[in-house]
Every structure is written in structure tokens, then in C-alpha cells.
Amino acid sequence: MEATGGKAIVVGGSIAGLSCAHALVSVGWDVAVIEKSTAPSTTPSRTRSPTGAGLGLDPQSQEILSRWISGPQLRQATFPLSVDLNRITDSGSKSSRTLTRDENFNFRAAHWADLHSLLYKALPPGLILGGHQFISFQTDKDKSTVRVNCRVAKTGDIVEIEGDLLVAADGCLSAIRQNFLPNLKLRYSGYCAWRGVLDFSGKENSDLIVGMRKAYPELGNCLYFDLAYNTHAVLYELMDKRLNWIWYVNQPEPKTEGTSVTMKVTKDALHNMHEEADKVWVSQLASLMQETTDPFINIIYDSDPLPRLQWEGKIVLIGDAAHPTTPHGLRSTNMSVVDAYVLGKCLERSGLEGLEKSLEEYQAIRLPVVSEQVLHARKLGRVKQGLDLLGEMQLEQRGMPYFDGAPTSL
């Protein structure tokens, strides 16, 4: 689409950043996405970094994504999750029974890298500036222009990019957000998550997979939550013969180097996890965890809802930069997709000359929604980890505020 709006600089080329690029290009804006990674997003997910894993797309996100990616492509890259099933596991008898069941869940499961690749390949060429490390930004005195400084990985040169709008899609540890909310601290949840994806291609008739199909007969159509004493696990199937699992473990906040929320796994930690899985979970799930190559640990953080999402009529937050959240409501990707779509629609309604009004409208639409969803996900995680009482909260995902779709206009 020919650019008829202004120029947006998007910092961050993850799913939030690429979704924003699609949303803005579709309403006539010129876009430059600054991404520190130099690796192209076109290689198959099973051959890329192991730290990518599964995600769930709600019906609203599916509909929005189908505007940017062809519907058949999206469905071919995802697996249905029609059922949301919570079960209780007795670690002594190694037996499970159903607590809640929602047969009208209608999510779809994707591997992060598969969805990212589809979004990447569907963009016009030249939008993504790979190998560009964000350094700083400044706005002109009259606030007519925003300038972003980046370091080019290949040459070490510092380059300046000029635009009308700066979109911070730089994740839960957002450097851009830090400029405006320097005292905002992420909140450690009280637990970490072991995560893994098992590729069982060519092993469909192995004892492990036959056993998994017996213990979890609705794999391929179901999002399983297994709850045990002060812990819970998540399991679902992905396309291309892969099983995605997550195990949340209560523990003190780990000490890490750098800014990553993903930890490398030591041999001792892996051995201890395998032993503990045998004690807690049914044998099939424990075996799945033990057979998975390169599992990793996410430290689970969120933050209290932000007081605002935009500043100076030029700078706006989307994705995890706007609402760091725990994963229990399957919100991170879904909130990011809707953020991008709503921002695009606000810019379309008011145009470049109404940029400040557009950002105020975006904030008014999204801030109440994401604030409620972040707090609900926090509570749900604490309940499932035995850190809080259930009270009136329901275990089903359907209890999430705006489960049936968030507003996209005032």
C-alpha cells in the first residue's frame, strides 16, 4: 500500500513489532522496524533457537492476523485448541481427574517462530532493519520529529533514523519505557517455568508418544492444564508433530546476569528437574519432560498496570513493553496483536495531523483492557501455584476479562 500517512519507527522485531508494521502499513504509513538480531525469520522453527516455544491465539487475534497473513497459511501453521481442560493430579497415586472443561474454547496453537516467520514474510521487503541495536531517541524541540540512534552490528557505525512516530515494541524490559517510567519495576511472580518442545516426527509409534496419546487422549485439540500440589503444568500439540509443555515451579527469584528473563540450564538443574518430575507428574508427562532436548527456564515476571501508554504525542508502547504479564491467560501475543491493530485504526481515523489525538485514543481503548487482563493473569497464576485462594475466580480461560474480544474503538 502506498504510504499516505507519516513514518513510524518501530523498535523491536518480535511478534508485537511485526504486527505493528502490518497494522501501520495497511493504513498507509511508512514503517522502519529496528531489530538487533541479524538472523532472518524464514528458517523452520525446529531448526531455530530453542528458546522459542508454543503460544495460543484467541479468535479475535486469529481474525486480525488473517488480515495480514492469508487465512489458509495461518490455519496450516496452527493446531486447533477447541477444549480448555483443567485436571487435578494426585502425585501419590499418579492419577488425574477433571476439574473443569470448556468445549468452546476455539483457540489455535502455534510455535512462536512459525507465526513470526509468517508475519515477517508477509511484509513488504526492506522494512526490517536487522542487525540494528537501539541506543537512544530524542524528539525535536517543537516535537515535530523523533530521531532514533542505532548501532549497526556489521560495521559498528551509529546511524540516525528520523520519523513522525516512535513505537516501543522492545519487550517487558523496554528501554524506551524506562525513559518515562524510571521507577517502574517488574514484579517477580514467585515461580519460574521450565519449557520445552518435543519433536516426535518419525517417532509417532514410540512408547513415549503412544503413552502420551493414552494419558492425554485429546492432544491435537485440547489445551491441558494439570494441577498438582502448589504447582501446575501446561501441555498441547503443535503442528509438525511437536508437543509443547510448561511446568511452573515455585522458588526464590533466581540471580541472573544481563537483562534476559530466560535462563540457561545446568546439568545439575536438569537432573533435579527430571527427578522431581517423576515425583509429581503422571509417568507419561514426566517422560516427556525427560526426553525433551534443550528445555529452558523462563523467570516469570509481570508489572502493575502502567499509568499510561503514550507520551509527547510521538511515543507509544505496545506489546510486552506496554503490559508485562504472566502467561496464564495466554495474553502476551494476543494483547500484542490487538494493540497493533487498534493503533493502526486510530492512526487511520485521525491521520498524521491528528497524531496526538490518535495516541490518546489508543491509550483510552487499550489501557483499561490490558490492565484488567494483566491482573487477572497474575491472580490465576497464583491460584494455580497454590500461592493464593481461588475465591470467586474460575480456572477456565473464559474467566479472563474481554475473553470474547476486546474493544477496538471508543
Side-chain angles (χ1 to χ4, degrees), residues 379-380 382-384 387-395:
K379 171 75 172 178
L380 184 59
R382 290 184 59 80
V383 167
K384 290 189 173 184
L387 300 172
D388 212 340
L389 297 176
L390 180 61
E392 296 181 358
M393 170 167 279
Q394 62 186 88
L395 293 175

Coordinates of all heavy atoms in Angstrom, one line a residue, residues 379-380 382-384 387-395:
K379 N -3.5 -13.2 39.1 CA -4.3 -13.9 40.1 C -4.4 -15.4 39.7 O -4.3 -16.3 40.6 CB -5.6 -13.3 40.3 CG -6.7 -14.0 41.1 CD -6.4 -13.9 42.6 CE -7.6 -14.5 43.4 NZ -7.3 -14.5 44.8
L380 N -4.7 -15.7 38.5 CA -4.9 -17.1 38.0 C -3.6 -17.9 38.3 O -3.6 -19.0 38.7 CB -5.3 -17.1 36.6 CG -5.6 -18.4 35.9 CD1 -6.7 -19.1 36.7 CD2 -5.9 -18.3 34.5
R382 N -1.3 -17.3 40.5 CA -1.1 -17.5 41.9 C -2.0 -18.6 42.5 O -1.6 -19.4 43.3 CB -1.3 -16.2 42.7 CG -0.2 -15.2 42.4 CD -0.4 -13.9 43.3 NE -0.4 -14.2 44.7 CZ 0.7 -14.4 45.4 NH1 1.9 -14.4 44.9 NH2 0.6 -14.7 46.7
V383 N -3.2 -18.6 42.0 CA -4.1 -19.7 42.4 C -3.6 -21.1 42.0 O -3.6 -22.0 42.8 CB -5.5 -19.4 41.8 CG1 -6.4 -20.7 42.0 CG2 -6.2 -18.2 42.5
K384 N -3.2 -21.2 40.8 CA -2.7 -22.5 40.3 C -1.4 -22.9 40.9 O -1.1 -24.1 40.9 CB -2.6 -22.5 38.7 CG -4.0 -22.4 38.0 CD -3.9 -22.6 36.5 CE -5.3 -22.6 35.9 NZ -5.2 -22.9 34.4
L387 N -0.4 -20.2 45.7 CA 0.0 -19.0 46.4 C -1.1 -18.1 46.8 O -0.9 -17.1 47.5 CB 1.0 -18.2 45.5 CG 2.3 -19.0 45.1 CD1 3.1 -18.2 44.1 CD2 3.1 -19.3 46.3
D388 N -2.3 -18.4 46.3 CA -3.5 -17.6 46.6 C -4.7 -18.5 46.6 O -4.7 -19.6 46.0 CB -3.6 -16.5 45.6 CG -4.3 -15.2 46.2 OD1 -4.9 -15.3 47.2 OD2 -4.1 -14.2 45.6
L389 N -5.8 -18.1 47.3 CA -7.0 -18.8 47.3 C -7.8 -18.6 46.0 O -7.8 -17.5 45.5 CB -7.8 -18.4 48.5 CG -7.2 -18.7 49.9 CD1 -8.1 -18.2 51.0 CD2 -6.9 -20.2 50.1
L390 N -8.6 -19.6 45.6 CA -9.4 -19.5 44.4 C -10.5 -18.4 44.6 O -10.7 -17.6 43.6 CB -10.0 -20.9 44.1 CG -10.9 -20.9 42.9 CD1 -10.1 -20.6 41.6 CD2 -11.6 -22.3 42.8
G391 N -11.1 -18.4 45.7 CA -12.2 -17.4 45.9 C -13.3 -17.6 44.8 O -13.7 -18.7 44.5
E392 N -13.6 -16.4 44.2 CA -14.7 -16.5 43.1 C -14.1 -16.6 41.7 O -14.8 -16.6 40.7 CB -15.5 -15.2 43.2 CG -16.3 -15.0 44.5 CD -17.1 -13.7 44.5 OE1 -17.0 -13.0 43.5 OE2 -17.8 -13.5 45.5
M393 N -12.8 -16.7 41.6 CA -12.1 -16.9 40.3 C -12.4 -18.3 39.7 O -12.4 -19.3 40.5 CB -10.6 -16.7 40.4 CG -9.8 -17.0 39.2 SD -8.2 -16.4 39.2 CE -8.4 -14.7 38.7
Q394 N -12.6 -18.3 38.4 CA -12.8 -19.6 37.8 C -11.5 -20.0 37.1 O -10.7 -19.2 36.7 CB -13.9 -19.5 36.7 CG -13.7 -18.6 35.6 CD -15.0 -18.5 34.7 OE1 -15.9 -17.7 35.0 NE2 -15.0 -19.2 33.7
L395 N -11.2 -21.3 37.0 CA -10.0 -21.8 36.5 C -10.0 -21.7 35.0 O -8.9 -21.7 34.4 CB -9.8 -23.3 36.9 CG -9.5 -23.5 38.4 CD1 -9.4 -25.0 38.7 CD2 -8.2 -22.8 38.9

